[in-house]
């Protein structure tokens, strides 16, 4: 599954998010000391709060400073689009060193979705940058309480590609295990690592996207990780299998992660839907338009690989709430399994309404197409 170099010329972008005091700054400082991070640009919200002052060598402009590690630090005081465009222009002009990765750190109270939307939709940014991973830090001591009290904390964990339980040395094994179990129920596919003082290899956090720059190929199975969603059973249509972590809109199914129904993450569901029959692209586009307009807030993250009618190769789709990333045509199937698979992390939206709506839309388009052919 080798691609053209153009796919990998875009700058890999990692978003670090996490609630207040969860160790984002500590993680960032630790990452920037590792080998290979010299060509990383860093965008942060409040430069004065970041403990990087000892690394400063000289000021390049009002918002961009050069660190002695060679990293570039840009304070995101205003528009993220302007900040990223400015970084790229300065790099092109040779005014700052060339960088091959960007790390964006959000504020502790931030909803990461707008940043992901920006990276997925801005016409210039989508040609120069590509979203590689979302890394979320969760405080081992206060994480449970923050998940209970703050919906932002739940959302940060739900959309993550990697979850770090920080300050892991300050709690006992049972407390850490309980938090990990809760996070696993929120986001089954994201690897979870316990870290102390931000000590973790960059290789565990990066290259989580669809593109693997080391092999210049697409690693669909690692990106989709649909096997993390416990799939079981067929319904009467025989076209999907839902995760046991999920439950439909009208019935509560028992699962291992029992919890207080008042918790914010009780509203979050993770599941995978599989279609045995090929999907009409028109049906999927119609479904996506309806759900992003009417229930976009509920679609925290969607990733999938589609077997489309009339197409030999699969198409990868990715969405965050109201925004779908432009689909990516893949050069080949990752395995002999050519079924469409779509994984969802949703809020107050069960699999049944998603499954049935897409199924019926696809059936309607299929029937219309058959009528056109036979008429």
């Amino acid at each position: 599954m080798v691609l053209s170099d153009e796919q990998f010329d875009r700058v890999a972008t990692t978003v670090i998010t996490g609630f207040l005091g969860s160790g984002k700054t500590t993680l960032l400082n630790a990452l920037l000391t590792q080998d290979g991070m010299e060509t990383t640009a860093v965008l942060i919200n409040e430069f004065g709060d970041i403990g990087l002052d000892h690394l400063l060598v000289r000021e390049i402009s009002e918002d961009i400073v050069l660190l002695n590690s060679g990293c570039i630090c840009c304070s995101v005081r205003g528009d993220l689009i302007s900040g990223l465009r400015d970084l790229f222009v300065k790099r092109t002009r040779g005014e700052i060193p060339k960088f091959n990765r960007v790390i964006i750190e959000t504020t502790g109270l931030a909803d990461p979705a707008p940043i992901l939307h920006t990276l997925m939709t801005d016409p210039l940014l989508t040609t120069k940058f590509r979203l590689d991973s979302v890394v979320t830090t969760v405080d081992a001591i206060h994480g449970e309480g923050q998940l209970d009290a703050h919906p932002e904390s739940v959302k940060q964990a739900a959309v993550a590609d990697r979850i770090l339980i920080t300050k892991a040395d300050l709690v006992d094994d049972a407390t850490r295990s309980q938090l990990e179990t809760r996070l696993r129920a929120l986001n089954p596919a994201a690897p979870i690592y316990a870290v102390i003082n931000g000590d973790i290899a960059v290789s565990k956090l990066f290259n989580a996207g669809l593109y693997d720059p080391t092999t210049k190929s697409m690693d669909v199975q690692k990106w989709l990780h649909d096997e993390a969603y416990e799939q079981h059973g067929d319904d009467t249509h025989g076209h999907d299998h839902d995760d046991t972590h999920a439950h439909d809109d009208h019935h509560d199914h028992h699962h291992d992660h029992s919890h207080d129904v008042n918790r914010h993450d009780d509203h979050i569901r993770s599941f995978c839907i599989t279609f045995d029959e090929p999907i009409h692209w028109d049906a999927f586009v119609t479904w996506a338009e309806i759900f992003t307009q009417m229930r976009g807030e509920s679609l925290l993250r969607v990733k999938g690989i589609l077997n489309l009618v009339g197409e030999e190769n699969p198409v990868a789709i990715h969405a965050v709430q109201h925004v779908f990333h432009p689909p990516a045509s893949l050069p080949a199937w990752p395995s002999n399994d050519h079924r469409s698979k779509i994984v969802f992390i949703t809020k107050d939206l069960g699999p049944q309404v998603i499954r049935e709506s897409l199924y019926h839309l696809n059936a309607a388009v299929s029937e219309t197409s058959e009528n056109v052919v036979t008429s």
Side-chain angles (χ1 to χ4, degrees):
M1 299 177 65
V2 178
L3 303 178
S4 66
D5 290 343
E6 181 182 352
Q7 298 280 1
F8 304 95
D9 288 340
R10 294 179 294 164
V11 178
T13 305
T14 292
V15 177
I16 296 180
T17 187
F19 206 69
L20 291 168
S22 62
K24 297 186 300 296
T25 298
T26 301
L27 171 66
L28 185 57
N29 286 334
L31 291 177
L32 293 179
T33 64
Q34 296 191 36
D35 291 340
M37 294 296 289
E38 298 83 4
T39 55
T40 298
V42 182
L43 282 74
I44 56 181
N45 282 277
E46 294 176 353
F47 183 76
D49 293 337
I50 297 297
L52 297 174
D53 301 77
H54 63 289
L55 296 174
L56 291 178
V57 173
R58 64 186 177 90
E59 185 173 308
I60 293 178
S61 70
E62 181 181 353
D63 292 328
I64 300 177
V65 292
L66 182 66
L67 308 183
N68 64 11
S69 64
C71 296
I72 305 151
C73 207
C74 177
S75 178
V76 188
R77 297 189 183 95
D79 187 12
L80 175 63
I81 295 176
S82 297
L84 286 170
R85 286 179 172 178
D86 190 49
L87 275 177
F88 197 86
V89 169
K90 283 182 167 60
R91 186 184 84 156
T92 302
R93 293 174 178 173
E95 297 175 10
I96 58 176
K98 185 176 181 179
F99 54 89
N100 58 14
R101 177 175 296 277
V102 171
I103 296 178
I104 301 170
E105 188 208 0
T106 72
T107 63
L109 292 172
D111 179 348
I115 290 179
L116 304 185
H117 293 171
T118 299
L119 293 171
M120 293 165 63
T121 59
D122 181 76
L124 177 62
L125 297 188
T126 54
T127 63
K128 305 301 182 184
F129 300 89
R130 58 181 173 86
L131 177 63
D132 176 64
S133 58
V134 178
V135 177
T136 298
T137 55
V138 181
D139 189 317
I141 302 172
H142 304 293
E144 288 265 11
Q146 290 167 348
L147 290 170
D148 286 339
H150 302 284
E152 300 90 351
S153 179
V154 174
K155 192 170 183 180
Q156 289 165 354
V159 303
D161 295 299
R162 304 286 186 266
I163 298 175
L164 305 185
I165 298 178
T166 60
K167 309 174 188 177
D169 56 326
L170 302 182
V171 299
D172 56 35
D173 290 344
T175 299
R176 187 171 65 247
S177 177
Q178 180 174 313
L179 177 58
E180 182 173 341
T181 298
R182 186 170 178 179
L183 293 168
R184 178 71 62 216
L186 265 176
N187 190 337
I192 299 175
Y193 302 103
V195 299
I196 300 172
N197 295 325
D199 184 17
I200 186 170
V202 295
S203 60
K204 292 183 177 180
L205 305 184
F206 298 157
N207 301 335
L210 184 58
Y211 304 106
D212 185 343
T214 58
T215 60
K216 292 203 170 182
S217 63
M218 288 185 180
D219 194 337
V220 178
Q221 291 173 316
K222 182 182 75 172
W223 172 73
L224 188 60
H225 202 188
D226 60 283
E227 67 274 11
Y229 302 80
E230 297 172 7
Q231 299 175 352
H232 66 97
D234 291 343
D235 70 358
T236 54
H237 298 296
H239 65 274
D240 73 280
H241 313 279
D242 292 329
D243 178 36
T244 53
H245 292 146
H247 49 281
D248 62 34
D249 294 328
H250 306 291
H251 301 85
D252 287 334
H253 299 291
H254 171 75
H255 54 77
D256 293 336
H257 310 302
S258 58
H259 49 255
D260 180 357
V261 295
N262 294 318
R263 301 192 327 182
H264 288 293
D265 48 344
D266 186 60
H267 297 271
I268 306 298
R269 297 159 184 183
S270 306
F271 50 90
C272 177
I273 294 178
T274 301
F275 281 80
D276 295 334
E277 298 299 322
I279 295 176
H280 289 269
W281 179 243
D282 287 348
F284 181 80
V285 169
T286 300
W287 174 89
E289 290 176 346
I290 292 172
F291 267 80
T292 53
Q293 290 177 15
M294 299 182 63
R295 301 297 301 271
E297 288 295 327
S298 298
L299 295 174
L300 299 187
R301 202 162 186 185
V302 180
K303 292 194 289 187
I305 179 171
L306 304 181
N307 182 350
L308 297 178
V309 173
E311 297 292 333
E312 181 178 350
N313 295 333
V315 169
I317 54 99
H318 179 207
V320 177
Q321 292 192 312
H322 300 282
V323 177
F324 265 83
H325 195 281
S329 180
L330 309 183
W333 285 90
S335 70
N336 292 328
D337 186 353
H338 290 190
R339 294 177 298 170
S340 297
K341 297 181 180 181
I342 314 174
V343 298
F344 293 86
I345 298 180
T346 65
K347 179 181 179 183
D348 295 325
L349 182 62
Q352 184 174 353
V353 64
I354 293 175
R355 175 185 62 217
E356 294 299 324
S357 58
L358 184 51
Y359 175 81
H360 289 301
L361 275 171
N362 194 57
V365 173
S366 181
E367 182 179 354
T368 301
S369 299
E370 290 175 0
N371 291 337
V372 170
V373 171
T374 56
S375 61

